[in-house]
Amino acid sequence: MKGKGFIFNQELCVNCKACIAACSLENKFTLPVRTVVTFNENRQQERAVSHLSIACNHCGIPLCMNGCPSKAYIRNAATDAVIIDQEKCLGCNYCTWNCPYDAPKFDTRKRVIGKCHLCYTLVADGSLPACAQACPTGALKYDRFERHDSAAIPLLPEGFGIEPALRFSEPVKNIPLEIIPPDNTGKLSAAGKGNINSKADWSLVLFSFSATIAAALTIFSFFSDKGPGSLIISLLSLVPGIISLFHLGKPLRAWRAPANIRYSPLSREIACYILFVTANFLMLFLNFPIFRLFSVFTGLILLISIDSVYYYSTGKIRTFLHSGQTFISALLIASFFTGELWPFIFTVIIKLSLSVRGLTAYRSSGTEMIFFFRLAALVISSASLLTGISYPALPVFLIFLTGELLDRIIFYIDFYPRSIKASLNNT
Amino acid sequence: MDEFITVCPRNCYSTCTFKVQVENNTIRRILPYSGNRATPEGPCIKGLSYIERSSSPARIINPLIRTSRGTFEKIPKAEALDIVSSKLSSLKEKYGPHSILWYRGSGMSGLTNEIGSAFWKAFGGATTTYGNLCWPAGLEAVRLTLGTVKHNVPWDLPNARTIIIWGKNPAETNIQEVPFIAEARRSGARIVSIDPLRTPTADKSDILYRIKPGTDAALALAISRILIDNNLIDKVFIEKYVRGYEQFRHSLTITPGEAEKITGIPENEINRLAQIIGTGAPVTFLPGYGLQRHLNGGQTIRCILALAVLTGNIGKPGAGFNYANLQSYVFDTIKEPESYYPDNETDIPFRRSLSMAGLGKDMLKIKDPELKGALVERGNPFLQSPDSTLVKQAFRNLEFKVVIDQFMTDTAESADIILPAKNMFEQSDIVGSYWSPYVQFKPKVLEPPDNVIPESEIYYELSERLGLKIPAEQIPLPGNENIEHWLEKRINGYTQLRLDDLRNGPVPAPGLQEIAFSDLNFKTRSGKIELFSEEAKEKWKVLALPEYVPIVYGSYSEKYPLVLLTPNAGNRIHSQFGNLEVIKENSDKPAVLFSAADATRRKIYDGCRIRLFNDRGEIFSTAKISERIPEGTVVLYNGIWLNEGGGGNFLIEGRMTDMGYGSAFHDNRVEAEQAVL
């Protein structure tokens, strides 16, 4: 893609933040949409310190726009700027997960996303965006160039292929500063900067967990007479929807959420959820096996759609191999409820192995206790089920469900949306 | 929307030219002006902040009077001026004109600042100040050595093959120099920083020599010795243009081994640095001002300057000693540093003056008459003068204080009357630069708020009220056209430049040498570069030769182990700008910076409340552990307002530098501990 974009010279940037100030003075945004990120912030001796001024790169393939469930993003034709329409934004934050450059930011006052709009009125008039105009060293320029994919940005993990309008004017030289005498006194460690971006959010934990249980109950009822009736399942299936509203900056705009079903996994999730609720309510009136099967089917589809929302994680464990993903959890919970031994043993083995893998990844991280509790809950409850003791006594039931809830919490603890800061720290 | 070319009048190297867009008497945009070759990419974040600063709700736009309850109340302009004039005349009557201190800071540059002195002369005089808080020791050192304080134009820097940044931090205090350094580096120049701190500038260098504070002269002298011993000097240049080489050579007793003990830099590395300087021609030295805010500051600058002299790095492209470039000060009768000397004659209005460095002490001490009143303009001595506690006490003793300012500074808080000051956009003026070679016109582009009048008009109004018959050449009548007329006359006779020549943008100073000293004409007593200077000895009672004089921290600070440095912050000019929202949003919270080792030893952690103290006083602040700080040193940027915790000047003794009447801010030690809440 040809076009104009930001051209950045690392040798010239000294982190003076004039670009940020120019942006806020020009646009009166209520939050700083531009930031300067520092590579080797802790000044490890073996590496050079450098900075990158970054806001939105107005990508050729904008992940924010593609993922936005409410189609709040538009591309300005005159300037190719990717702009958010704050009137349409739900405040769901999904774009903040998708963007690898942290361009969209949640404005806690307005409760919607704010982001760089490339000063598109200025740019359309032939002027420069305020940031590039203001840079007092000339490190940040805005000019015409052939867009490459992000491999052209050496500080970022390569190969997103999303055609960011950002390029480095010359290859980055990583010549460390030679310090004389060498500085050996009490270095700060490079570590200890984790959890920058962990998105553990209670409403999301409860939304996905209640959806998992609702879906598991449809399976339970399909295979067993002991399962709850259609009315209970229908009412239960409303719970996740209500909870999910709490996570939105603008809950009243929730109706827009399925608007981008073609591109947005989040829109698909909401659509699947609506389908699932509809199927359950249909069951109230048409309680035939085929409709019950339809409800089971929509439940499983819903879980797959929930899991795919979290596809882009830079956490230690891959989303699809995570013990806390909803699909496997629902199968386990359903087989636990039905008491069907072989399916239960099969899913427990999968769960156990995934959990142990997770524990290994998080060994001596300070959070391993929660993994132990989670494993203990699974072992205790499955042991009591397998030995036939006291099933279906309430304590076992509670221990089991607590274990599954912990697993979902672990899933979020490990969920790191892509972020430029995380990329820099890992480079 | 109207667009004007203007210039930033702050006390800063860069003196950026910029374009300003004005709409409805409000600054809308600040844009770069590429016609200034030194600042083509435009001003820094502080310059951009004028958009906020010029219409800040925090600005004082009405005269204020202190009430009996200690609060301030608005009063009409005329009434305020009446009170000031009657108070001044009654003080004069009772105690004489010299009972009034006229204090001027460096808050805004421009020729119109002189207008005040016409008033005070006609008033019968006043007690003034001599010396300067910033840079005079170094200026004097350069003047004594080279005769004139100047250097190559900023855009010559890429011609250097070696750049020695000695105690300067352009990445924060002269950001427009960064592109020139980067260009030099791109074309292969070696960038060496010598600094106790790992500054953002050091981060952009190849090598950082982390020297112990105050020992730079010892390093320079050791290098001189190595250069001479290894024949890395320019003998032809020395023979023709240098006076005192032989005496200097014989005085070099500091061996690299001894220098290692003094400076903390290993002997072999001192040898390498000498090689870099001796074989890296052309070499440009970029010395900073913090370097000379030491008791030995002037001699330190002389020692470092000797390196440029010995290696013949004077008067050539890519070479030089860029301390200050006063070539654009074409309209000054007496240039810095001589303008800082106290007047010695006995019968002149300003015969009595107090040292800037020891302001508090001097104010309390002076008799016949004692000080009874003060008028402060363009300054904030409560924060910026050393010994803040004494300064505050001395001001408290006064009967009547007038402060002219745009904002409620800590000094303004102490006033009896506050008169609102103009901002840079509200009156025309002419501004020079001590880095770039331009003479610049700063036009009036905004109407001041109704109750704000420029200082020149304050003085006009006061002189009217006091019945002082001052001719309009000295104090112009109100109105900007009269100021421009005054400027027109003021610059007449110095050069061929007329005011209209300046209106279209910056003009290179008449007689500019792009390569300073390219004519090898040195206006010293001997006409040569003076390594040996009788004048230095006569005037300042130092050795005629450059010398390393160890810092005496003073008996009071022996029990305090940490050297306190108070360098300039990137986002402030001294105590200016820190009160603006856009600056606060983009700055770290004021904090005392510690090395990890010093912090750990004192059980101080990042973000913890601390008490920083010595026998002079204490301040409370927040600790920040930083890789930039070496063990044994703590850093608190200067200009921190009292409501942010206050600055280091409460812990700093008011002592003078060895020459030039500067202030030795950086020779104080402190201790720190976790604050008990």
Side-chain angles (χ1 to χ4, degrees):
Chain A
M1 181 172 169
K2 267 193 200 301
K4 283 191 168 185
F6 293 107
I7 303 176
F8 189 74
N9 185 335
Q10 273 199 302
E11 296 295 309
L12 291 173
C13 180
V14 290
N15 192 13
C16 76
K17 299 191 173 74
C19 48
I20 303 174
C23 174
S24 64
L25 289 164
E26 174 68 32
N27 297 307
K28 311 273 185 292
F29 286 132
T30 41
L31 80 174
V33 301
R34 181 163 282 278
T35 44
V36 179
V37 287
T38 299
F39 171 68
N40 190 17
E41 204 169 2
N42 287 334
R43 296 189 165 65
Q44 300 290 298
Q45 276 209 20
E46 60 281 3
R47 294 193 143 160
V49 176
S50 52
H51 312 283
L52 172 61
S53 166
I54 196 164
C56 175
N57 296 320
H58 304 278
C59 300
I61 301 163
L63 298 183
C64 56
M65 185 193 276
N66 292 354
C68 178
S70 65
K71 288 192 171 172
Y73 282 92
I74 37 174
R75 192 186 281 281
N76 176 268
T79 59
D80 278 343
V82 174
I83 298 170
I84 187 156
D85 180 350
Q86 293 190 325
E87 295 302 309
K88 289 185 181 163
C89 174
L90 314 179
C92 73
N93 270 302
Y94 192 47
C95 50
T96 67
W97 298 2
N98 282 326
C99 173
Y101 310 118
D102 305 337
K105 293 184 170 67
F106 186 67
D107 184 331
T108 47
R109 269 183 283 176
K110 286 186 170 175
R111 318 267 321 139
V112 290
I113 294 295
K115 97 180 239 313
C116 161
H117 56 31
L118 196 66
C119 298
Y120 64 97
T121 45
L122 284 177
V123 171
D125 284 347
S127 301
L128 297 172
C131 52
Q133 177 75 277
C135 177
T137 64
L140 183 67
K141 299 266 187 203
Y142 181 78
D143 212 340
R144 187 165 294 280
F145 67 87
E146 180 73 30
R147 288 193 192 184
H148 303 270
D149 68 15
S150 13
I153 307 173
L155 287 182
L156 298 178
E158 52 194 281
F160 285 133
I162 56 176
E163 298 177 7
L166 170 66
R167 197 184 66 167
F168 278 44
S169 61
E170 51 193 286
V172 173
K173 299 173 219 103
N174 186 19
I175 309 166
L177 171 66
E178 189 185 344
I179 300 181
I180 295 160
D183 186 0
N184 302 318
T185 55
K187 287 305 293 176
L188 297 180
S189 71
K193 291 222 169 177
N195 261 38
I196 313 167
N197 234 18
S198 176
K199 292 286 177 193
D201 180 318
W202 282 109
S203 65
L204 290 181
V205 172
L206 293 177
F207 163 77
S208 53
F209 190 63
S210 56
T212 310
I213 288 179
L217 289 179
T218 61
I219 304 172
F220 180 24
S221 294
F222 185 78
F223 285 106
S224 162
D225 302 337
K226 284 180 274 176
S230 304
L231 183 62
I232 293 178
I233 294 182
S234 303
L235 293 177
L236 266 179
S237 69
L238 289 175
V239 173
I242 294 162
I243 291 171
S244 73
L245 293 179
F246 288 98
H247 145 81
L248 295 182
K250 295 279 181 193
L252 291 178
R253 296 183 192 163
W255 60 274
R256 296 193 62 92
N260 192 11
I261 203 157
R262 190 158 162 212
Y263 296 109
S264 170
L266 192 61
S267 277
R268 280 181 224 138
E269 178 197 79
I270 303 303
C272 291
Y273 172 69
I274 292 168
L275 213 58
F276 175 61
V277 172
T278 316
N280 285 332
F281 274 87
L282 270 180
M283 250 183 355
L284 286 180
F285 309 103
L286 307 157
N287 201 353
F288 306 118
I290 182 76
F291 283 99
R292 282 162 54 201
L293 188 62
F294 182 57
S295 149
V296 169
F297 178 69
T298 53
L300 290 176
I301 296 278
L302 168 62
L303 298 182
I304 291 170
S305 75
I306 290 177
D307 288 334
S308 40
V309 162
Y310 301 92
Y311 181 75
Y312 291 121
S313 171
T314 57
K316 293 183 183 177
I317 310 157
R318 277 189 56 191
T319 317
F320 275 86
L321 291 175
H322 202 292
S323 62
Q325 62 138 294
T326 59
F327 190 78
I328 296 174
S329 297
L331 294 183
L332 179 72
I333 295 169
S335 55
F336 182 83
F337 286 167
T338 53
E340 292 288 336
L341 267 192
W342 288 112
F344 181 72
I345 290 170
F346 180 67
T347 43
V348 160
I349 288 171
I350 295 177
K351 269 272 189 181
L352 273 177
S353 54
L354 292 179
S355 292
V356 170
R357 231 181 124 253
L359 176 62
T360 329
Y362 270 83
R363 197 174 40 216
S364 60
S365 66
T367 46
E368 63 262 60
M369 276 321 276
I370 190 167
F371 284 86
F372 284 121
F373 282 127
R374 188 274 159 286
L375 277 170
L378 187 58
V379 169
I380 291 168
S381 52
S382 49
S384 55
L385 180 65
L386 293 175
T387 51
I389 304 166
S390 65
Y391 175 79
L394 191 63
V396 178
F397 191 75
L398 284 180
I399 289 171
F400 173 73
L401 280 186
T402 310
E404 290 314 296
L405 179 62
L406 286 178
D407 217 1
R408 192 61 194 165
I409 293 170
I410 290 169
F411 179 88
Y412 281 98
I413 288 176
D414 185 54
F415 175 59
Y416 287 89
R418 292 188 299 198
S419 133
I420 188 155
K421 278 197 180 153
S423 307
L424 289 188
N425 278 345
N426 298 334
T427 311
Chain B
M1 194 138 49
D2 299 315
E3 192 170 281
F4 304 89
I5 298 168
T6 190
V7 51
C8 181
R10 300 277 91 83
N11 182 359
C12 167
Y13 288 99
S14 303
T15 321
C16 299
T17 314
F18 58 83
K19 289 190 286 191
V20 57
Q21 291 184 346
V22 179
E23 194 176 52
N24 299 329
N25 204 38
T26 309
I27 304 295
R28 288 297 309 280
R29 281 200 188 92
I30 287 182
L31 301 169
Y33 174 77
S34 56
N36 181 329
R37 289 182 68 188
T39 66
E41 304 283 355
C44 66
I45 188 170
K46 292 156 287 200
L48 297 171
S49 80
Y50 288 133
I51 296 172
E52 180 190 335
R53 195 174 198 254
S54 60
S55 52
S56 165
R59 186 173 171 198
I60 300 170
I61 52 169
N62 287 294
L64 300 172
I65 186 163
R66 181 181 295 281
T67 63
S68 50
R69 282 170 292 123
T71 54
F72 285 105
E73 225 165 58
K74 287 183 209 170
I75 48 166
K77 192 163 62 187
E79 199 183 320
L81 292 162
D82 288 344
I83 297 172
V84 173
S85 66
S86 71
K87 277 283 185 184
L88 291 181
S89 77
S90 80
L91 287 179
K92 176 177 155 184
E93 229 162 80
K94 265 202 255 175
Y95 311 106
H98 291 95
S99 66
I100 298 163
L101 171 71
W102 177 38
Y103 181 95
R104 293 150 293 166
S106 64
M108 175 127 66
S109 319
L111 289 181
T112 63
N113 286 334
E114 300 168 9
I115 289 168
S117 71
F119 169 84
W120 289 106
K121 274 178 191 159
F123 183 75
T127 299
T128 59
T129 53
Y130 68 91
N132 180 275
L133 294 175
C134 181
W135 59 338
L139 290 176
E140 186 65 13
V142 176
R143 188 189 71 82
L144 290 169
T145 311
L146 300 175
T148 317
V149 184
K150 60 184 175 184
H151 62 66
N152 298 2
V153 290
W155 53 88
D156 169 63
L157 197 51
N159 292 323
R161 214 155 61 80
T162 306
I163 298 177
I164 309 286
I165 306 171
W166 202 317
K168 186 178 177 180
N169 180 15
E172 290 191 299
T173 60
N174 185 192
I175 196 168
Q176 285 72 15
E177 191 169 60
V178 169
F180 298 120
I181 298 173
E183 197 185 329
R185 194 182 195 196
R186 194 158 46 234
S187 31
R190 180 151 26 190
I191 315 296
V192 178
S193 274
I194 302 173
D195 205 302
L197 311 179
R198 180 170 179 178
T199 62
T201 305
D203 282 335
K204 294 279 171 198
S205 308
D206 297 304
I207 313 175
L208 166 65
Y209 287 88
R210 264 193 164 180
I211 190 168
K212 286 184 189 156
T215 67
D216 307 82
L219 177 63
L221 292 178
I223 295 170
S224 281
R225 184 171 159 147
I226 300 165
L227 290 174
I228 292 169
D229 287 352
N230 291 278
N231 202 19
L232 293 170
I233 54 174
D234 188 338
K235 283 207 171 121
V236 180
F237 182 84
I238 292 169
E239 211 153 287
K240 263 178 117 169
Y241 304 111
V242 179
R243 178 168 184 270
Y245 168 71
E246 282 305 318
Q247 293 105 308
F248 180 63
R249 187 167 69 88
H250 290 299
S251 75
L252 294 172
T253 51
I254 299 178
T255 64
E258 285 159 357
E260 172 172 350
K261 288 197 193 85
I262 299 168
T263 63
I265 295 169
E267 186 177 343
N268 60 326
E269 293 292 351
I270 297 177
N271 276 308
R272 179 162 73 123
L273 181 54
Q275 289 291 329
I276 290 170
I277 293 171
T279 62
V283 185
T284 299
F285 292 82
L286 304 180
Y289 299 149
L291 185 63
Q292 49 90 60
R293 288 176 196 160
H294 285 286
L295 294 170
N296 62 12
Q299 284 289 55
T300 296
I301 295 292
R302 287 183 76 208
C303 291
I304 300 169
L305 177 47
L307 299 175
V309 173
L310 291 177
T311 50
N313 279 302
I314 300 281
K316 296 168 188 154
F321 189 79
N322 295 12
Y323 183 77
N325 188 17
L326 306 187
Q327 296 192 73
S328 67
Y329 288 15
V330 287
F331 307 123
D332 291 358
T333 328
I334 316 170
K335 264 190 207 179
E336 287 95 337
E338 279 129 312
S339 60
Y340 299 137
Y341 298 171
D343 281 309
N344 286 325
E345 290 120 273
T346 47
D347 55 347
I348 54 163
F350 300 142
R351 62 180 174 273
R352 200 168 85 144
S353 57
L354 312 177
S355 73
M356 278 298 231
L359 184 70
K361 211 167 23 186
D362 285 7
M363 280 177 77
L364 290 168
K365 210 167 57 188
I366 198 152
K367 296 270 180 302
D368 299 321
E370 283 178 19
L371 287 180
K372 295 293 179 186
L375 185 142
V376 177
E377 57 173 308
R378 286 173 275 132
N380 189 3
F382 269 43
L383 281 187
Q384 297 311 117
S385 299
D387 260 329
S388 298
T389 314
L390 292 184
V391 175
K392 281 177 83 169
Q393 193 189 329
F395 269 86
R396 211 176 296 131
N397 289 350
L398 300 178
E399 279 176 28
F400 182 65
K401 290 148 281 183
V402 190
V403 174
I404 306 175
D405 211 306
Q406 290 181 55
F407 292 97
M408 190 58 87
T409 64
D410 291 305
T411 305
E413 290 257 25
S414 78
D416 298 294
I417 296 259
I418 303 173
L419 297 175
K422 67 168 183 268
N423 72 28
M424 63 166 283
F425 302 108
E426 292 165 353
Q427 189 175 39
S428 297
D429 212 334
I430 291 173
V431 177
S433 161
Y434 48 84
W435 176 65
S436 83
Y438 292 107
V439 181
Q440 305 197 53
F441 177 64
K442 178 173 74 63
K444 174 181 176 178
V445 303
L446 292 182
E447 275 310 318
D450 291 344
N451 294 320
V452 176
I453 54 174
E455 287 79 344
S456 64
E457 296 184 17
I458 292 177
Y459 283 118
Y460 171 83
E461 296 290 341
L462 290 178
S463 62
E464 286 292 295
R465 281 168 171 75
L466 291 166
L468 308 173
K469 299 272 175 287
I470 305 175
E473 303 87 80
Q474 292 180 22
I475 297 190
L477 295 171
N480 198 56
E481 63 289 351
N482 291 319
I483 273 291
E484 292 197 358
H485 187 65
W486 180 87
L487 287 169
E488 185 85 70
K489 283 195 146 174
R490 169 65 183 79
I491 64 175
N492 197 8
Y494 285 86
T495 65
Q496 296 302 310
L497 278 181
R498 294 293 157 269
L499 196 61
D500 284 341
D501 302 330
L502 298 171
R503 288 185 194 272
N504 298 322
V507 175
L512 168 69
Q513 275 181 335
E514 289 218 3
I515 305 304
F517 306 108
S518 53
D519 56 357
L520 297 161
N521 179 5
F522 302 99
K523 296 200 167 92
T524 54
R525 273 189 195 176
S526 61
K528 284 187 162 187
I529 297 173
E530 295 200 348
L531 286 181
F532 184 90
S533 164
E534 276 107 358
E535 198 182 346
K537 193 176 170 187
E538 288 161 21
K539 201 169 245 147
W540 307 108
K541 314 281 177 278
V542 296
L543 279 195
L545 287 164
E547 183 198 17
Y548 166 63
V549 184
I551 298 295
V552 180
Y553 282 97
S555 57
Y556 74 89
S557 66
E558 279 315 307
K559 53 187 177 217
Y560 302 103
L562 300 167
V563 174
L564 171 66
L565 298 182
T566 53
N568 289 13
N571 288 358
R572 299 177 193 232
I573 301 278
H574 305 303
S575 63
Q576 291 172 311
F577 295 102
N579 58 331
L580 303 177
E581 293 307 317
V582 69
I583 296 295
K584 283 188 210 158
E585 282 162 15
N586 290 297
S587 312
D588 293 334
K589 283 238 160 61
V592 177
L593 310 184
F594 287 85
S595 69
D598 284 324
T600 313
R601 209 166 289 141
R602 290 167 178 79
K603 298 191 171 55
I604 286 169
Y605 53 89
D606 209 50
C608 112
R609 261 319 267 157
I610 55 146
R611 185 171 87 99
L612 197 68
F613 61 98
N614 61 17
D615 283 354
R616 312 206 74 76
E618 61 177 15
I619 60 162
F620 291 86
S621 185
T622 309
K624 187 172 155 65
I625 297 172
S626 167
E627 307 83 351
R628 299 193 182 283
I629 312 300
E631 207 177 332
T633 301
V634 289
V635 167
L636 176 60
Y637 286 107
N638 87 51
I640 312 295
W641 292 31
L642 289 181
N643 62 15
E644 303 171 296
N649 279 321
F650 286 97
L651 311 173
I652 291 173
E653 190 180 2
R655 291 191 291 176
M656 214 127 51
T657 51
D658 54 355
M659 55 184 76
Y661 309 110
S663 296
F665 285 99
H666 294 164
D667 299 328
N668 296 276
R669 292 205 295 218
V670 295
E671 180 54 289
E673 63 182 22
Q674 256 195 54
V676 187
L677 291 173

